[in-house]
Amino acid sequence: MHLDVETSVQRTNAKKAAKMSPVDMNGYWKMTSNENFDEYMEALDVNLVIRKIASYLVFDKEIVQNGDHFNIKTLTTFRNYHMEFDVGKEFEEDLIGVDDRKCMTTVNWEGDKLVCVQKGEKEGRGWTQWVKGDELHVEMRVCGVVCKQVFKKQVLD
C-alpha cells in the first residue's frame, strides 16, 4: 500500500512539472536593438507616416506570466499594444494600433521558445520569443520579412 501511494505522488508531481513553463519571462524589458523594423511594417502595409513615427520609438515590454498564461504589454510614447493569451489555445487577436487587422492566433512552446502563428490576411505571420541571460529576443515575421528585436531586463526597485 505504501508503494502505491508513493507512486501516485510521483505521478502527480510529474504531471505538475510537465505543466510548468520551460522559461520565466516575467519582467520589464527595455529595447536595445530593432533590426529591419521599417521593412516589417511595410510588409504589413503600414502607411509611410506611421512607419516614420514608429522608426523613432523605443519599445518597452512588460510581461506578466503565470504558468502558461501570458499578459504582454508593448509600451511606447506613441501607442501601446496589449496581448493576453494561454499557451496552446487559439484566440482571435485584434491588432488595432499595429496594422488594424484581426487574425486567429496560437502561441506554443517549442523547447524554451514561445512561437506564435497568426492566421489571417498576411502569409507567414507570427513571432518567436525567448530569453537568453538578461535579454529577451523577439523575431517577428510576415511575408518572408523578419524583424529582430532585443530587450534588456530591467531591475525595478
Side-chain angles (χ1 to χ4, degrees):
M1 181 78 169
H2 177 69
L3 187 58
D4 289 336
V5 171
E6 196 171 331
T7 304
S8 175
V9 169
Q10 289 171 341
R11 269 188 254 131
T12 301
N13 288 341
K15 285 181 186 176
K16 285 181 184 174
K19 289 184 177 183
M20 290 177 58
S21 316
V23 177
D24 179 8
M25 295 189 182
N26 279 298
Y28 195 87
W29 307 83
K30 282 197 147 313
M31 179 179 278
T32 59
S33 67
N34 190 11
E35 297 174 21
N36 216 29
F37 188 59
D38 187 62
E39 292 82 355
Y40 173 80
M41 290 188 304
E42 186 175 12
L44 287 172
D45 302 320
V46 173
N47 77 55
L48 182 62
V49 173
I50 299 297
R51 288 198 333 255
K52 291 302 172 194
I53 292 168
S55 71
Y56 291 103
L57 298 175
V58 175
F59 300 85
D60 291 348
K61 284 200 180 282
E62 181 180 26
I63 301 176
V64 176
Q65 175 187 359
N66 185 1
D68 279 342
H69 182 81
F70 280 81
N71 209 319
I72 301 175
K73 294 177 183 172
T74 303
L75 309 166
T76 72
T77 54
F78 181 62
R79 286 187 182 159
N80 296 328
Y81 180 70
H82 177 238
M83 178 182 202
E84 186 171 359
F85 61 90
D86 290 303
V87 174
K89 295 182 183 174
E90 186 177 56
F91 63 98
E92 183 178 61
E93 184 177 7
D94 191 343
L95 294 157
I96 290 177
V98 179
D99 66 339
D100 299 329
R101 291 186 170 91
K102 290 186 180 186
C103 57
M104 294 308 294
T105 300
T106 307
V107 181
N108 287 300
W109 287 110
E110 288 186 14
D112 62 352
K113 295 181 179 182
L114 276 180
V115 178
C116 173
V117 175
Q118 298 166 311
K119 296 177 187 170
E121 292 177 34
K122 292 291 186 173
E123 290 296 316
R125 186 172 187 172
W127 48 261
T128 302
Q129 177 172 296
W130 68 96
V131 173
K132 185 175 180 180
D134 65 349
E135 292 181 333
L136 175 72
H137 294 258
V138 180
E139 287 186 359
M140 301 182 298
R141 306 171 297 280
V142 66
C143 301
V145 176
V146 178
C147 170
K148 296 180 181 183
Q149 298 178 329
V150 179
F151 299 79
K152 186 164 179 60
K153 191 166 194 173
Q154 302 300 294
V155 178
L156 302 175
D157 296 327

